[in-house]
Amino acid sequence: MSTFDWHPYPAREIWHDPSVVGTLKIAQAVYSPQLDNQRDLLVHLPESYAHTDKRYPVIYMQDGQNLFDHGTSFAGTDWRVDETMHALAHDGIEAIIVGIPHMGERRVNEYNPFADVWRGTGEQYLAFLTDTIKPAIDHDFRTCRERAHTGILGSSMGALISLYAFFHSDLFGMVGAMSPALWIGGGRIYGDIIDQPFTGGRVYLDNGTREASARKLNELLLRKGYQRGVDLKYVVEHDAEHTESAWARRLPDALRFLLAA
């Protein structure tokens, strides 16, 4: 059984925005035995959730405090995930979104999968996702548990750990890597992905022209067997920078591709 205690959002004073669109739930102080720390978790439910007995795909998203609430997000700009899901629902695209907030100064460590680079604890963070969070989400909510319906998404360092999770776990069948920090460890992720077997799934990749390019990774994935427009989408946004607002702009198309039937 789940040990998570879900409440309507906001549940305490630090969560500032009472105008979240749709149903957002929060579980406070969820303990990670893998990392020996605690953080809140957020779950945004589809608009039809309360009125049907359907099961839904799930997207696990990093930097959870930046997703829904401008009051807790970096620089006061959130990803507008709730507004995006509201709009996509009108096109029949629905999913449960799980937001996993980062741990402040530990963010760089937890989103870094390489233990010998800056004391990365990404392996433990991935175990937290797969062994603690996902089983609880599957227990507490009506999820489609299969790999094909389970995704992971993040930006920058959050994109790095999302890519690593996609290629190192059999639980995730889709990944969104927005402006990924591919330079960590001298570009270690390139060789790591080359070494992994091709398992299929859907990959969304992007960057702006005013930040580091992900073109090299796109080319690597094409050589690996992914097909442009079929199971791989690479987007370059003109004049876009490494910001929350840029990721919010590109998020609707990313989710449309990942959640395409």
Side-chain angles (χ1 to χ4, degrees):
M1 293 182 61
S2 170
T3 58
F4 298 176
D5 189 11
W6 298 100
H7 300 278
Y9 176 101
R12 60 181 183 179
E13 188 175 351
I14 66 165
W15 300 95
H16 301 293
D17 188 355
S19 60
V20 170
V21 175
T23 301
L24 184 63
K25 294 183 176 291
I26 182 171
Q28 297 172 295
V30 172
Y31 177 68
S32 167
Q34 298 86 358
L35 295 159
D36 192 26
N37 56 28
Q38 294 180 332
R39 75 195 75 202
D40 296 344
L41 293 180
L42 300 166
V43 168
H44 188 269
L45 297 176
E47 294 194 8
S48 66
Y49 190 92
H51 310 294
T52 73
D53 58 0
K54 289 170 52 178
R55 292 188 173 272
Y56 298 86
V58 184
I59 306 287
Y60 293 85
M61 297 180 65
Q62 319 315 315
D63 293 315
Q65 54 267 79
N66 295 338
L67 304 181
F68 307 101
D69 186 340
H70 62 77
T72 61
S73 64
F74 182 76
T77 303
D78 68 82
W79 285 38
R80 297 176 58 82
V81 173
D82 47 331
E83 290 91 344
T84 292
M85 297 311 298
H86 175 76
L88 291 179
H90 292 288
D91 296 330
I93 301 173
E94 292 188 299
I96 295 171
I97 305 295
V98 180
I100 307 132
H102 65 70
M103 294 296 292
E105 292 182 356
R106 298 185 187 180
R107 178 181 185 271
V108 172
N109 306 97
E110 290 189 352
Y111 291 174
N112 172 13
F114 309 116
D116 59 340
V117 178
W118 305 342
R119 299 181 181 179
T121 57
E123 289 281 2
Q124 295 93 318
Y125 179 76
L126 177 55
F128 176 44
L129 294 184
T130 60
D131 299 344
T132 299
I133 296 179
K134 187 178 187 300
I137 296 298
D138 286 339
H139 177 276
D140 292 352
F141 301 98
R142 297 196 311 273
T143 66
C144 295
R145 304 182 182 188
E146 299 85 357
R147 177 178 183 267
H149 303 292
T150 305
I152 187 165
L153 188 151
S155 67
S156 191
M157 290 290 294
L160 179 69
I161 194 62
S162 296
L163 284 165
Y164 187 85
F166 177 76
F167 285 103
H168 284 264
S169 170
D170 60 1
L171 297 181
F172 302 106
M174 48 184 144
V175 60
M178 310 182 83
S179 306
L182 303 171
W183 52 271
I184 302 300
R188 181 85 65 85
I189 192 66
Y190 294 113
D192 182 81
I193 290 174
I194 289 172
D195 290 341
Q196 301 307 310
F198 178 86
T199 56
R202 300 177 74 84
V203 181
Y204 172 89
L205 181 65
D206 73 20
N207 63 262
T209 57
R210 299 181 66 183
E211 61 178 342
S213 174
R215 187 174 302 278
K216 179 179 176 180
L217 178 57
N218 177 62
E219 294 171 352
L220 184 160
L221 293 173
L222 289 170
R223 292 195 301 271
K224 196 172 182 68
Y226 291 92
Q227 299 179 64
R228 183 182 292 110
V230 178
D231 52 10
L232 173 64
K233 183 172 185 177
Y234 174 45
V235 172
V236 178
E237 183 183 4
H238 177 68
D239 212 32
E241 299 180 330
H242 201 79
T243 62
E244 313 299 327
S245 58
W247 301 322
R249 283 195 305 272
R250 300 197 293 264
L251 182 64
D253 283 346
L255 292 176
R256 284 182 185 279
F257 177 74
L258 294 175
L259 294 168

